[in-house]
Amino acid sequence: MEYMQAPATSSQGNILCCTCGIPIPPNPANMCVSCLRTTVDISEGIPKQVNLHFCKQCERYLQPPASWVQCALESRELLALCLKKLKGNMTKVRLIDAGFLWTEPHSKRIKLKVTIQKEVMNGAILQQVFVVEFVIQGQMCDDCHRVEAKDFWNSVVQVRQKTSHKKTFYYLEQLILKHKLHQNALNIKEIHEGIDFYYATKQHAQKMVDFLQCTVPCRSKTSQRLISHDIHSNTFNYKSTYSIEIVPVCKDNVVCLSPRLAQSLGNMGQVCVCARVTSTIHLIDPNTLQIAEVDGGTYWRNPFNSLVSPRQLEEFIVMDTDVIRNQKLRAGAGIRSNKHTLAEVWVQKTSEMDTAQQYHCRTHLGHLLNIGDLVQGFDFANSNVNDEFLNKMNPSHIPDVVLIKKSYNRSKRVKRRNWKLKEMDKDREGMAPEDERQYQDFLEDLEEDEALRKNVNIFRDASKIPVESDTDDEGAPRISLMEMLEDLSLSDATGGEGADMLTE
């Protein structure tokens, strides 16, 4: 402790301290520093030990009354938070300086060196330096408490798609992981025909709904349920439910459009193949190579359904093929695909190789098919399809066979696949045994469709060694190393012991 005085002149002499009698320079208190230290304590009323609440889960500090802030050790934010804890007791003194003293990071102690000034006896200004110790006490914040409870939620987003295949959901899962929208969810539950996302706030749920509406063709409905009502403050507590219905069409589905919709899309044929489903439905006419995109609003005004499920596809072998070079389009025709080649092919079912039955059709896979190749397709000639628009079509306009995609040896593709995808942590109920087969179909779609995998983060699988393909399977598409990301983890950066320290 020391006192502040005016600068002494040559004419001033010393005086005696009024308490101990030693000679001192004149000052308003007429007391020496030692006597002032024993008589006046300007830090009286300021606590020397203060509790600071810290949440271990999210590593945030409590800022009274109810907010939690993220602060690094010895940062300006943490210094401001500590001084606010002392502000109520420092109204009669003047803060001159404050700084941290080094403490062990695991000691749960933060020491602050504080310098203050105060005017005391007869206008004398005293300055004192003291140390305040902040004791860190663990306390779980409200957000982490709700996460740990796992059954608390304020809003839920229910995503549904009434289809037998989950290709759209697998694609949607990768988009959510890429944009990190799953981090705010309290719980993710996978159920029949969809996924439920539970959130603590309505704003996070609305953000997910906006993302889904921009990502996949869908429509939404909102409902609220009153939980409680405070009549004194006139506040209401609601639980909100957002229902998202995705169009029931997946990649590689065969659909039949209404005549009105087909005409509005450039006079394309009614029987089309779904090339992919992103923010819109991408359709291609296998007879003319015309392509069109159908957004969510257009679909719900002119709905159409899938004519065939993936399990109804049959395997054909190509007996003969003839590429069509000059195809004349009808008046008002739309855009043609430049990535496909129109061809006429003769195919035979692999299950009917002992017969002479062959089928003739046009296909958009002329750039992929050669004589002897295997291809997946749907047999219209020997099937009974109940569809409103298909039943009204002229039978001469309905093809005998619609070829969907070329078939490759799956076991060889799995062995040589040196990449992987990440998955969300979710609760599963009632999983079908064919989900693994559907997931493999989605991985093959990523390999075959470059436009589809542009929105997906693909990681290199260091645990698998790529196997060179045989000559029979040379044409199967692959993903290049340039399109893969390195799958980084804590153990890669710091080793096993460092990873354990960071996750504690």
Side-chain angles (χ1 to χ4, degrees):
M1 179 187 298
E2 58 186 25
Y3 59 84
M4 311 295 293
Q5 62 178 359
T9 61
S10 59
S11 61
Q12 286 181 340
N14 292 336
I15 64 171
L16 299 178
C17 176
C18 65
T19 302
C20 63
I22 64 172
I24 60 172
N27 64 76
N30 295 327
M31 298 177 64
C32 64
V33 176
S34 301
C35 294
L36 276 175
R37 184 180 292 115
T38 57
T39 305
V40 181
D41 182 12
I42 64 175
S43 65
E44 184 179 3
I46 301 177
K48 304 302 186 295
Q49 190 176 67
V50 183
N51 293 330
L52 200 61
H53 298 285
F54 177 72
C55 178
K56 296 181 180 179
Q57 276 73 15
C58 60
E59 297 183 352
R60 294 187 297 175
Y61 293 89
L62 174 63
Q63 181 175 340
S67 61
W68 293 80
V69 294
Q70 191 91 22
C71 302
L73 288 177
E74 300 189 3
S75 63
R76 296 178 59 183
E77 294 79 8
L78 184 58
L79 179 62
L81 179 62
C82 294
L83 292 177
K84 285 182 181 179
K85 301 281 287 186
L86 304 175
K87 184 177 180 180
N89 301 305
M90 298 177 62
T91 57
K92 297 181 180 180
V93 299
R94 180 184 178 189
L95 178 64
I96 301 300
D97 188 23
F100 290 102
L101 295 178
W102 186 87
T103 55
E104 182 68 31
H106 300 288
S107 64
K108 294 187 178 181
R109 296 291 189 274
I110 297 177
K111 291 185 178 181
L112 204 63
K113 182 180 179 181
V114 182
T115 304
I116 59 175
Q117 285 184 359
K118 184 179 181 182
E119 184 178 345
V120 292
M121 302 175 178
N122 301 322
I125 299 177
L126 300 183
Q127 180 172 306
Q128 183 176 348
V129 179
F130 61 98
V131 177
V132 180
E133 184 181 60
F134 292 86
V135 181
I136 298 179
Q137 293 186 346
Q139 178 179 335
M140 186 177 292
C141 65
D142 294 339
D143 295 338
C144 295
H145 185 76
R146 291 166 182 170
V147 173
E148 291 297 325
K150 293 184 179 180
D151 57 352
F152 177 87
W153 56 273
N154 178 267
S155 301
V156 58
V157 180
Q158 300 175 341
V159 187
R160 300 290 184 269
Q161 186 184 30
K162 298 179 180 179
T163 181
S164 59
H165 206 287
K166 297 183 178 181
K167 287 184 179 181
T168 306
F169 278 112
Y170 292 135
Y171 174 71
L172 186 61
E173 178 184 13
Q174 297 304 316
L175 291 181
I176 293 174
L177 287 171
K178 182 176 182 179
H179 294 87
K180 300 180 180 179
L181 289 179
H182 64 294
Q183 294 180 346
N184 295 325
L186 299 178
N187 189 23
I188 303 175
K189 184 180 295 185
E190 182 176 347
I191 62 175
H192 180 60
E193 292 186 348
I195 304 177
D196 291 345
F197 297 88
Y198 295 90
Y199 294 94
T201 61
K202 187 176 180 180
Q203 290 76 14
H204 289 156
Q206 186 63 50
K207 185 178 179 181
M208 172 61 80
V209 173
D210 295 340
F211 174 78
L212 293 175
Q213 291 177 340
C214 297
T215 305
V216 291
C218 60
R219 61 181 177 181
S220 62
K221 293 182 180 179
T222 306
S223 62
Q224 289 183 332
R225 185 179 65 175
L226 180 63
I227 303 301
S228 61
H229 174 213
D230 188 351
I231 59 175
H232 301 288
S233 60
N234 199 27
T235 58
F236 299 84
N237 181 21
Y238 289 99
K239 279 193 173 183
S240 303
T241 301
Y242 298 88
S243 177
I244 306 295
E245 183 181 358
I246 304 176
V247 295
V249 179
C250 290
K251 178 177 167 37
D252 296 334
N253 282 166
V254 181
V255 298
C256 183
L257 309 179
S258 64
R260 179 181 178 183
L261 179 59
Q263 184 180 8
S264 65
L265 296 177
N267 284 331
M268 66 188 308
Q270 289 184 245
V271 178
C272 299
V273 177
C274 178
R276 73 179 66 89
V277 177
T278 54
S279 57
T280 57
I281 305 173
H282 298 256
L283 300 176
I284 184 170
D285 184 357
N287 290 320
T288 61
L289 292 187
Q290 280 186 246
I291 56 176
E293 295 184 9
V294 180
D295 58 10
T298 304
Y299 174 84
W300 297 116
R301 289 191 299 270
N302 303 276
F304 51 87
N305 297 318
S306 173
L307 302 180
V308 55
S309 65
R311 287 183 294 181
Q312 294 176 299
L313 295 180
E314 298 186 61
E315 190 176 56
F316 295 85
I317 185 171
V318 179
M319 307 304 294
D320 192 12
T321 178
D322 184 18
V323 176
I324 301 176
R325 300 296 180 184
N326 298 319
Q327 169 68 16
K328 294 183 179 180
L329 297 179
R330 292 173 290 183
I335 305 174
R336 292 188 62 185
S337 174
N338 295 325
K339 297 181 180 180
H340 300 82
T341 302
L342 188 64
E344 291 185 351
V345 295
W346 287 90
V347 295
Q348 186 175 9
K349 291 183 181 180
T350 55
S351 59
E352 298 178 353
M353 295 299 292
D354 54 344
T355 65
Q357 179 65 39
Q358 294 187 2
Y359 303 91
H360 174 263
C361 66
R362 283 192 175 187
T363 179
H364 60 291
L365 304 177
H367 60 296
L368 296 176
L369 299 182
N370 297 307
I371 297 176
D373 287 345
L374 299 178
V375 60
Q376 296 285 334
F378 180 64
D379 181 11
F380 274 98
N382 299 313
S383 62
N384 184 12
V385 180
N386 186 14
D387 184 78
E388 175 185 1
F389 305 121
L390 188 67
N391 294 336
K392 296 179 181 180
M393 284 184 61
N394 188 339
S396 61
H397 295 164
I398 301 177
D400 293 338
V401 173
V402 175
L403 302 181
I404 305 299
K405 63 178 182 178
K406 187 176 179 180
S407 179
Y408 300 97
N409 191 319
R410 169 165 290 186
S411 60
K412 292 181 181 179
R413 298 183 71 174
V414 172
K415 288 181 180 180
R416 72 176 187 180
R417 185 174 295 143
N418 59 336
W419 55 273
K420 61 182 179 180
L421 301 176
K422 289 188 175 181
E423 298 183 11
M424 292 188 300
D425 293 332
K426 51 184 179 289
D427 297 335
R428 298 188 176 185
E429 294 182 1
M431 294 297 294
E434 65 209 21
D435 284 349
E436 179 61 29
R437 180 184 60 83
Q438 295 183 3
Y439 187 69
Q440 292 297 329
D441 290 342
F442 172 70
L443 297 182
E444 293 175 0
D445 290 341
L446 290 180
E447 292 177 336
E448 297 169 4
D449 194 343
E450 183 179 357
L452 187 66
R453 63 175 180 262
K454 284 183 179 179
N455 300 323
V456 177
N457 285 339
I458 298 175
F459 298 91
R460 187 174 65 87
D461 191 356
S463 62
K464 295 185 67 175
I465 301 176
V467 179
E468 294 296 334
S469 58
D470 298 334
T471 55
D472 294 339
D473 200 26
E474 192 66 29
R478 303 183 64 176
I479 298 180
S480 63
L481 291 175
M482 297 181 63
E483 299 180 75
M484 302 181 192
L485 302 175
E486 291 291 339
D487 188 12
L488 298 180
S489 61
L490 292 176
S491 58
D492 295 336
T494 62
E497 296 181 359
D500 295 339
M501 292 173 61
L502 291 173
T503 55
E504 287 180 354

